[in-house]
Amino acid sequence: MPPKPANVTAIYPGSFDPITNGHLDLVQRGSRMFDTLIVAILRNDSKQPLFSVEERMDMLREVVYPYRNVQVDCFDGLLVDYAAERSAAVLLRGIRAISDYEYELQMALMNRRLRPEIETVFMMSNEAYSFISSRLVKEVFGLGGNISGLVPPSVEARLQSRMAKTK
Ligand code: PNS
């Protein structure tokens, strides 16, 4: 095992389509734990995203600017290879409920098998946000439900203009 690096960089990977207040809470807490936190969007996602990678990066940048040690990036291919490229020792993931655990455990163990020197760190979601997902936010918003308090206001505005365009 390599010794603990003087500066620990963590990657917080995901789809962020779009970023929710649950994600943002993790960014805020992660920024206090690690020297550098890189929020990284997967580029070659098989899911059909509502927002392009560039739009999602813009939305992320708009909300993480208060955290000086947080960067926004995107990646292709294997997450662990990207983490190694960025000299990151940690992958940060949030767990909302037990239902998240099985998928997260599988990913963490696969990632450990691929690159044992990179640790996955799980943080429990803030209970106020544990029911929020990007998928549900989009569904509720698309059906006319109120999503204020679930996503940052700038994201709500983007959703509004995206839905207006698609009508
Ligand atoms: O927000 P999501 O969709 O739950 O994030 C999933 C993500 C991006 C973390 C995961 O799909 C991923 O790491 N993809 C990159 C490809 C990869 O490394 N696959 C093997 C993971 S064990």
Side-chain angles (χ1 to χ4, degrees), residues 12-17 23 40-45 47 75-82 91-93 96 103-104 106-112 114 134:
Y12 179 26
S15 310
F16 303 106
D17 184 42
H23 294 129
I41 300 174
L42 175 64
R43 255 192 188 283
N44 52 342
D45 205 337
K47 297 176 211 158
F75 70 101
D76 271 321
L78 279 180
L79 172 60
V80 285
D81 289 346
Y82 168 71
L91 303 174
L92 176 66
R93 291 285 288 173
R96 290 165 298 191
Y103 169 60
E104 293 298 332
Q106 248 185 342
M107 279 207 301
L109 294 180
M110 179 62 83
N111 284 333
R112 182 191 285 168
L114 294 168
S134 301

Side-chain angles (χ1 to χ4, degrees), residues 30-126:
S31 75
R32 292 201 298 260
M33 275 184 73
F34 305 106
D35 299 289
T36 303
L37 181 66
I38 303 170
V39 187
I41 300 174
L42 175 64
R43 255 192 188 283
N44 52 342
D45 205 337
S46 55
K47 297 176 211 158
Q48 275 294 314
L50 178 63
F51 294 102
S52 70
V53 171
E54 283 65 31
E55 286 172 312
R56 283 178 272 160
M57 287 181 76
D58 284 347
M59 282 188 272
L60 279 168
R61 286 197 198 97
E62 281 164 12
V63 293
V64 306
Y65 76 90
Y67 312 108
R68 305 311 297 249
N69 61 341
V70 177
Q71 301 170 16
V72 174
D73 197 8
C74 59
F75 70 101
D76 271 321
L78 279 180
L79 172 60
V80 285
D81 289 346
Y82 168 71
E85 208 178 284
R86 298 298 312 259
S87 307
V90 171
L91 303 174
L92 176 66
R93 291 285 288 173
I95 293 201
R96 290 165 298 191
I98 197 73
S99 47
D100 283 340
Y101 180 75
E102 225 168 302
Y103 169 60
E104 293 298 332
L105 179 69
Q106 248 185 342
M107 279 207 301
L109 294 180
M110 179 62 83
N111 284 333
R112 182 191 285 168
R113 188 190 165 92
L114 294 168
R115 282 197 191 252
E117 69 281 13
I118 298 176
E119 281 293 342
T120 299
V121 170
F122 293 120
M123 285 174 84
M124 300 304 132
S125 284
N126 183 321

